[in-house]
Amino acid sequence: MTPELLARAKAYGFSDRQIAHLTGRTEADVRALRKQWDLVPSYRLVDTCAAEFEARTPYYYSTYDRGDDEVRPSDRRKVMILGGGPNRIGQGIEFDYCCVHAAFALQEEGFETLMVNSNPETVSTDYDTSDRLYFEPLTLEDVLNIYEREGCWGAIAQFGGQTPLNLALGLQANGVRILGTSPQSIEIAEDRQLFAALLHRLNIPQPPNGLATNETEALAIAQRLTYPVLVRPSFVLGGRAMQIVYSDAELQHYMRFAVAVSRQRPVLVDKFLEDATEVDVDCIADVGQTADGQGGTIVVGGLLEHIEFAGVHSGDAAMVLPPHTLPYGVIKTIRDYTHALARELRVVGLMNLQFAVKDEQVYVLEVNPRASRTVPFVSKAIGVPLAKLAAKLMTGRTLAELGFTREIWPDYWAVKESVFPFNRFPGQDIVLSPEMRSTGEVMGLDPDLGIAFAKSQMAAGSPVPLGGKLFVSVSDADKPKVAALATLFVELGFELVSAGRTAQVLADAGLKVQRIAKLQEGRPHALDLLKNGELQLVINTPSGQVPRADEVKIRTSAVATGTPIMTTLSGARALALGIAALKKKGYDVKTLQEYH
């Protein structure tokens, strides 16, 4: 390795990590070598005026062509905000919202804001969001180069989702001042063994679980826990490769084909709590600013109860704020656990927690001491800009100073519904799972829960039918409950259409039902009725881990024809509530500002 060779490699775009890999060194070795030979990037302004006259935009990019550096000097205190990088399913625009609010909040506090992000499709990369913008990849090398070139006062890694969070420890080790909750606390929450020890110390239950580094270990854990179990790789975005498995054969297939397992990247195996209610909590705290973590303030921003059963990714689930079925004792327990964990992790800023409630027993599923994808929704529902407040806390302000010390319990309902791209992927099954698949979200607000839910469905692009023909086909597990649900729709004026054993269950319950053929039995069947526009609503729940081909065809055909479809009984029940409310009194429209 010579200075000339290294300079050529950097000019060609090789990262320190790539060079380290090719030369048998570490990334730190290559970085030290670069510094020794004064090989650092220079930064150029993006010329938004095509050289016609002088560009004054705050956009910069790095280059190793050894030309002039165009970064303008400034003596203001600078804070770097790390964005979320490319938008992809699992890490979306919600994190960008938090980064933008952080930039606005820090400007109000007199700081100069530097945004680092590589995605031109976001608001954080707009010309008027931050004081300076660096179009650079979110890697340790690039972030350190900018931090040192600008002489930053600190950096915020809490708002861009998992991508910048993964850099926090490395940045801190290289002298970067990470603002907010410490990287060590973030590591405790991310590392399964450290987290389990923390919960044990606080006497907070979590579902029984284990760590597997190979197939044999995974099978042994699953047999100890008993099926079903939830399996997932460590350190993933958006529930990538998470799955509920019901047998040894399924687990073996998962371990062999779904993930790469190693001692450094074990697979997490959790007992899956069937029919549990999942609850998301977003809270804000400044306890980490006190010497012992015992002072300060913790405020729950929002408690969101999932409409779907536990096991649907929180990014995909419909949610209700405030909770609509949980008893007071359960809510109090959730609050107590939230406060205990925020204090123990010395949180400064935002924290997201996920709980499962089964038979009024509360279990902690996950804790993330960072902004979450529900922060924008909760902020709009309660009328408090949580991300803005959190950014100010990171610079030394307190919740008491900012005037937010009490939880807000709205006197109306806020329903979050997810938006899915299924109509762009013909033939793709639409059933929800632990792996996130949504690409957006909408909100319904109303003093009536049914109407709030109906508004959320309409906003998500799914019309809410007030009558017509309803096709019902449910799994064996759902058959004992389907007659009561179908009765609700009959009372609302719907005509029932069904096939096979579901039709028999409905008829045995004394309901009038139009029987049609199953797909393989003849015609007319459900697909014919969908294509002819004869069905106004479909309720179809999956029959198990591997859905049958005919039910997948029904679900995808419903999406293709724009027919509203519910794939869970809880979702269908909420829709019945919404239809009843709409038929009774209709709905009116109010702005968000009027609610606040």
Side-chain angles (χ1 to χ4, degrees), residues 258-286:
V259 287
V261 193
S262 67
R263 289 245 160 250
Q264 290 70 39
R265 292 203 166 275
V267 161
L268 317 174
V269 185
D270 291 292
K271 173 65 182 166
F272 178 62
L273 304 171
E274 290 188 285
D275 299 321
T277 301
E278 203 162 325
V279 181
D280 258 72
V281 176
D282 282 310
C283 81
I284 186 167
D286 58 19

Short mmCIF file of all heavy atoms in Angstrom, two decimals, residues 258-286:
data_model
loop_
_atom_site.label_atom_id
_atom_site.label_comp_id
_atom_site.label_asym_id
_atom_site.label_seq_id
_atom_site.Cartn_x
_atom_site.Cartn_y
_atom_site.Cartn_z
N ALA A 258 -33.94 -19.56 5.16
CA ALA A 258 -34.40 -18.17 5.34
C ALA A 258 -33.33 -17.23 5.85
O ALA A 258 -33.34 -16.05 5.53
CB ALA A 258 -35.61 -18.14 6.28
N VAL A 259 -32.39 -17.74 6.66
CA VAL A 259 -31.43 -16.84 7.30
C VAL A 259 -30.03 -17.44 7.33
O VAL A 259 -29.85 -18.66 7.27
CB VAL A 259 -31.84 -16.54 8.77
CG1 VAL A 259 -33.02 -15.61 8.83
CG2 VAL A 259 -32.11 -17.80 9.55
N ALA A 260 -29.05 -16.55 7.41
CA ALA A 260 -27.66 -16.97 7.65
C ALA A 260 -27.43 -16.84 9.16
O ALA A 260 -27.60 -15.76 9.72
CB ALA A 260 -26.70 -16.08 6.88
N VAL A 261 -27.06 -17.94 9.81
CA VAL A 261 -26.91 -17.95 11.26
C VAL A 261 -25.44 -18.09 11.62
O VAL A 261 -24.71 -18.83 10.97
CB VAL A 261 -27.69 -19.13 11.89
CG1 VAL A 261 -27.80 -18.96 13.39
CG2 VAL A 261 -29.06 -19.25 11.27
N SER A 262 -25.01 -17.36 12.65
CA SER A 262 -23.63 -17.50 13.12
C SER A 262 -23.60 -17.13 14.60
O SER A 262 -24.59 -16.69 15.16
CB SER A 262 -22.71 -16.55 12.34
OG SER A 262 -23.03 -15.20 12.65
N ARG A 263 -22.42 -17.30 15.23
CA ARG A 263 -22.28 -16.92 16.64
C ARG A 263 -22.52 -15.42 16.81
O ARG A 263 -23.06 -14.96 17.81
CB ARG A 263 -20.87 -17.26 17.14
CG ARG A 263 -20.65 -18.73 17.27
CD ARG A 263 -20.42 -19.14 18.74
NE ARG A 263 -20.67 -20.57 18.91
CZ ARG A 263 -21.69 -21.06 19.56
NH1 ARG A 263 -22.59 -20.26 20.08
NH2 ARG A 263 -21.85 -22.36 19.70
N GLN A 264 -22.09 -14.62 15.79
CA GLN A 264 -22.29 -13.17 15.86
C GLN A 264 -23.73 -12.78 15.54
O GLN A 264 -24.20 -11.74 15.98
CB GLN A 264 -21.35 -12.45 14.86
CG GLN A 264 -19.87 -12.49 15.22
CD GLN A 264 -19.26 -13.89 15.08
OE1 GLN A 264 -19.59 -14.61 14.13
NE2 GLN A 264 -18.41 -14.26 16.01
N ARG A 265 -24.41 -13.59 14.76
CA ARG A 265 -25.79 -13.25 14.36
C ARG A 265 -26.73 -14.42 14.67
O ARG A 265 -27.16 -15.16 13.79
CB ARG A 265 -25.84 -12.93 12.86
CG ARG A 265 -25.11 -11.63 12.54
CD ARG A 265 -25.60 -11.03 11.24
NE ARG A 265 -25.18 -9.66 11.06
CZ ARG A 265 -25.80 -8.60 11.55
NH1 ARG A 265 -26.87 -8.75 12.26
NH2 ARG A 265 -25.36 -7.38 11.31
N PRO A 266 -27.04 -14.64 15.95
CA PRO A 266 -27.92 -15.76 16.31
C PRO A 266 -29.37 -15.49 15.90
O PRO A 266 -29.74 -14.35 15.64
CB PRO A 266 -27.79 -15.82 17.84
CG PRO A 266 -27.43 -14.43 18.24
CD PRO A 266 -26.62 -13.86 17.12
N VAL A 267 -30.15 -16.55 15.85
CA VAL A 267 -31.59 -16.42 15.60
C VAL A 267 -32.29 -16.39 16.95
O VAL A 267 -31.95 -17.14 17.87
CB VAL A 267 -32.09 -17.60 14.73
CG1 VAL A 267 -33.60 -17.76 14.85
CG2 VAL A 267 -31.72 -17.38 13.28
N LEU A 268 -33.26 -15.49 17.09
CA LEU A 268 -34.02 -15.35 18.32
C LEU A 268 -35.27 -16.22 18.21
O LEU A 268 -35.99 -16.15 17.22
CB LEU A 268 -34.43 -13.90 18.55
CG LEU A 268 -33.34 -12.84 18.28
CD1 LEU A 268 -33.91 -11.45 18.41
CD2 LEU A 268 -32.17 -13.02 19.21
N VAL A 269 -35.51 -17.05 19.21
CA VAL A 269 -36.69 -17.93 19.22
C VAL A 269 -37.55 -17.55 20.42
O VAL A 269 -37.11 -17.68 21.57
CB VAL A 269 -36.29 -19.43 19.30
CG1 VAL A 269 -37.52 -20.31 19.18
CG2 VAL A 269 -35.28 -19.78 18.22
N ASP A 270 -38.77 -17.04 20.17
CA ASP A 270 -39.68 -16.62 21.25
C ASP A 270 -40.92 -17.50 21.24
O ASP A 270 -41.42 -17.87 20.17
CB ASP A 270 -40.18 -15.18 21.02
CG ASP A 270 -39.09 -14.16 21.21
OD1 ASP A 270 -38.65 -14.00 22.35
OD2 ASP A 270 -38.70 -13.53 20.21
N LYS A 271 -41.44 -17.79 22.41
CA LYS A 271 -42.76 -18.42 22.49
C LYS A 271 -43.78 -17.43 21.92
O LYS A 271 -43.83 -16.27 22.33
CB LYS A 271 -43.10 -18.75 23.94
CG LYS A 271 -44.53 -19.25 24.18
CD LYS A 271 -44.79 -20.58 23.50
CE LYS A 271 -46.22 -21.04 23.71
NZ LYS A 271 -46.60 -22.13 22.80
N PHE A 272 -44.58 -17.87 20.93
CA PHE A 272 -45.58 -16.97 20.33
C PHE A 272 -46.88 -17.05 21.13
O PHE A 272 -47.43 -18.13 21.33
CB PHE A 272 -45.83 -17.35 18.87
CG PHE A 272 -46.88 -16.49 18.22
CD1 PHE A 272 -46.68 -15.13 18.09
CD2 PHE A 272 -48.08 -17.04 17.78
CE1 PHE A 272 -47.65 -14.32 17.51
CE2 PHE A 272 -49.05 -16.24 17.18
CZ PHE A 272 -48.84 -14.87 17.06
N LEU A 273 -47.32 -15.88 21.61
CA LEU A 273 -48.54 -15.82 22.42
C LEU A 273 -49.75 -15.68 21.50
O LEU A 273 -50.03 -14.60 20.98
CB LEU A 273 -48.47 -14.63 23.38
CG LEU A 273 -47.25 -14.59 24.32
CD1 LEU A 273 -47.19 -13.27 25.06
CD2 LEU A 273 -47.28 -15.75 25.30
N GLU A 274 -50.46 -16.79 21.27
CA GLU A 274 -51.61 -16.75 20.37
C GLU A 274 -52.77 -15.98 20.99
O GLU A 274 -53.01 -16.05 22.19
CB GLU A 274 -52.06 -18.18 20.03
CG GLU A 274 -51.05 -18.91 19.15
CD GLU A 274 -51.59 -20.25 18.67
OE1 GLU A 274 -51.63 -21.17 19.49
OE2 GLU A 274 -51.97 -20.35 17.49
N ASP A 275 -53.48 -15.24 20.13
CA ASP A 275 -54.67 -14.48 20.55
C ASP A 275 -54.35 -13.43 21.62
O ASP A 275 -55.20 -13.05 22.40
CB ASP A 275 -55.78 -15.40 21.06
CG ASP A 275 -56.26 -16.36 19.97
OD1 ASP A 275 -56.34 -15.92 18.81
OD2 ASP A 275 -56.52 -17.53 20.28
N ALA A 276 -53.10 -12.98 21.66
CA ALA A 276 -52.75 -11.91 22.60
C ALA A 276 -53.03 -10.56 21.94
O ALA A 276 -53.03 -10.44 20.72
CB ALA A 276 -51.27 -12.01 22.99
N THR A 277 -53.26 -9.54 22.76
CA THR A 277 -53.44 -8.17 22.26
C THR A 277 -52.09 -7.47 22.34
O THR A 277 -51.43 -7.50 23.38
CB THR A 277 -54.46 -7.41 23.13
OG1 THR A 277 -55.70 -8.10 23.09
CG2 THR A 277 -54.65 -5.98 22.63
N GLU A 278 -51.70 -6.85 21.25
CA GLU A 278 -50.41 -6.15 21.24
C GLU A 278 -50.65 -4.66 21.49
O GLU A 278 -51.64 -4.09 21.05
CB GLU A 278 -49.70 -6.37 19.90
CG GLU A 278 -48.21 -6.17 20.01
CD GLU A 278 -47.42 -6.80 18.86
OE1 GLU A 278 -47.82 -7.86 18.34
OE2 GLU A 278 -46.41 -6.20 18.47
N VAL A 279 -49.71 -4.05 22.22
CA VAL A 279 -49.82 -2.62 22.56
C VAL A 279 -48.48 -1.95 22.28
O VAL A 279 -47.43 -2.45 22.70
CB VAL A 279 -50.19 -2.41 24.05
CG1 VAL A 279 -50.33 -0.93 24.37
CG2 VAL A 279 -51.47 -3.17 24.40
N ASP A 280 -48.51 -0.84 21.55
CA ASP A 280 -47.32 -0.02 21.32
C ASP A 280 -47.37 1.19 22.24
O ASP A 280 -48.43 1.80 22.39
CB ASP A 280 -47.29 0.47 19.87
CG ASP A 280 -46.33 -0.32 19.01
OD1 ASP A 280 -46.65 -1.48 18.69
OD2 ASP A 280 -45.28 0.23 18.66
N VAL A 281 -46.24 1.55 22.82
CA VAL A 281 -46.17 2.74 23.67
C VAL A 281 -45.03 3.62 23.18
O VAL A 281 -43.91 3.14 22.98
CB VAL A 281 -45.93 2.37 25.15
CG1 VAL A 281 -45.77 3.63 26.00
CG2 VAL A 281 -47.07 1.52 25.69
N ASP A 282 -45.32 4.91 22.98
CA ASP A 282 -44.27 5.89 22.71
C ASP A 282 -44.18 6.80 23.92
O ASP A 282 -45.20 7.36 24.35
CB ASP A 282 -44.60 6.71 21.46
CG ASP A 282 -44.29 5.94 20.19
OD1 ASP A 282 -43.18 5.41 20.08
OD2 ASP A 282 -45.17 5.87 19.31
N CYS A 283 -42.98 6.92 24.48
CA CYS A 283 -42.83 7.82 25.62
C CYS A 283 -41.65 8.75 25.39
O CYS A 283 -40.80 8.52 24.52
CB CYS A 283 -42.68 7.04 26.92
SG CYS A 283 -41.04 6.42 27.25
N ILE A 284 -41.59 9.81 26.17
CA ILE A 284 -40.51 10.79 26.08
C ILE A 284 -40.00 11.03 27.51
O ILE A 284 -40.78 11.04 28.46
CB ILE A 284 -41.00 12.09 25.41
CG1 ILE A 284 -39.85 13.06 25.17
CG2 ILE A 284 -42.14 12.76 26.19
CD1 ILE A 284 -40.20 14.21 24.23
N ALA A 285 -38.68 11.15 27.66
CA ALA A 285 -38.10 11.26 29.01
C ALA A 285 -36.83 12.09 28.99
O ALA A 285 -36.16 12.21 27.96
CB ALA A 285 -37.80 9.86 29.56
N ASP A 286 -36.50 12.66 30.15
CA ASP A 286 -35.23 13.38 30.30
C ASP A 286 -34.45 12.87 31.51
O ASP A 286 -33.60 13.57 32.06
CB ASP A 286 -35.48 14.90 30.40
CG ASP A 286 -36.39 15.28 31.56
OD1 ASP A 286 -36.55 14.46 32.49
OD2 ASP A 286 -36.96 16.39 31.54
#
